[in-house]
Amino acid sequence: ATWTARTGNNIATWIATSADGGKRWNKPLPLQSGIKNAGGPRVAVSGNRVAVVWRQLDGIVNRIYASCSTDSGKTWTLPAPVTTGFGNAWGPDVSFTEERMLVVWRQREDKQNTYYDCFSVNTAYACSSDDGGKTWSAPRTFTSGFGDGVTPRLAFAGARALAGYVSSDGALWTLYSNVGRVIFPDVK
């Protein structure tokens, strides 16, 4: 389970694991410390691999961060930014194929730090990691155009990926791929 909680002046992303289907839980652990503003965590599990992604204010804009585990949540990598550059990133989602991890999110390209705002400035992006989140591919948009990516969500079945998002006109779009290396049009 993952959530955000306030500790003093900080809002951090926390994780708790269970080895018995949720009957008992290990002590919750913060995935990062000293963070003033984090939120929207999402979790994915594949065998012993676990990944958590969230948005976190870096002092200027929100970025998407990830922390991963290869031992069912006993140990975690240090949180690392998935997104770089300009623009506020929000609403991440994460999933695994057999060998890779994919993260999707929406991003405001005008650098305003506002979550609920005009949908016309949001674009959905995706990037992937083949090494457990140590490095990430360059972010690529998978929507039909600028301003067309609100609340992207993601799922995998083997090498087949399915993503959905709401466009600026309120329509629900879905994309899928049967190709393991090319997840969505123009996203590698």
Side-chain angles (χ1 to χ4, degrees):
T2 184
W3 65 94
T4 54
R6 182 176 295 280
T7 305
N9 292 328
N10 299 322
I11 300 174
T13 302
W14 292 74
I15 188 82
T17 59
S18 172
D20 60 7
K23 293 177 185 170
R24 290 175 298 213
W25 291 88
N26 295 328
K27 180 181 175 183
L29 301 170
L31 290 177
Q32 82 279 57
S33 62
I35 302 304
K36 298 290 183 196
N37 190 349
R42 303 285 289 187
V43 65
V45 178
S46 177
N48 290 333
R49 298 181 300 163
V50 185
V52 177
V53 295
W54 65 91
R55 67 126 185 102
Q56 179 175 310
L57 184 64
D58 72 359
I60 300 171
V61 296
N62 284 292
R63 305 215 185 278
I64 304 303
Y65 280 76
S67 184
C68 302
S69 173
T70 57
D71 57 10
S72 300
K74 293 179 183 124
T75 61
W76 292 89
T77 62
L78 291 174
V82 175
T83 60
T84 58
F86 71 94
N88 268 301
W90 299 88
D93 201 9
V94 60
S95 194
F96 288 102
T97 66
E98 289 143 1
E99 74 278 344
R100 72 180 4 193
M101 181 172 33
L102 186 71
V103 174
V104 296
W105 68 93
R106 72 183 228 186
Q107 186 162 309
R108 288 183 55 98
E109 304 301 340
D110 59 3
K111 301 183 187 179
Q112 292 182 18
N113 192 17
T114 307
Y115 183 73
Y116 294 105
D117 210 335
C118 176
F119 288 168
S120 65
V121 295
N122 292 285
T123 303
Y125 284 89
C127 66
S128 61
S129 175
D130 292 330
D131 59 11
K134 293 175 187 159
T135 60
W136 294 91
S137 67
R140 304 288 292 270
T141 184
F142 63 90
T143 53
S144 59
F146 182 78
D148 250 0
V150 180
T151 318
R153 291 294 174 246
L154 178 66
F156 277 105
R160 186 176 180 149
L162 174 67
Y165 66 94
V166 177
S167 66
S168 57
D169 63 3
L172 176 64
W173 290 81
T174 57
L175 302 165
Y176 67 90
S177 172
N178 286 320
V179 182
R181 297 303 295 174
V182 178
I183 304 302
F184 299 112
D186 211 23
V187 177
K188 298 180 181 180

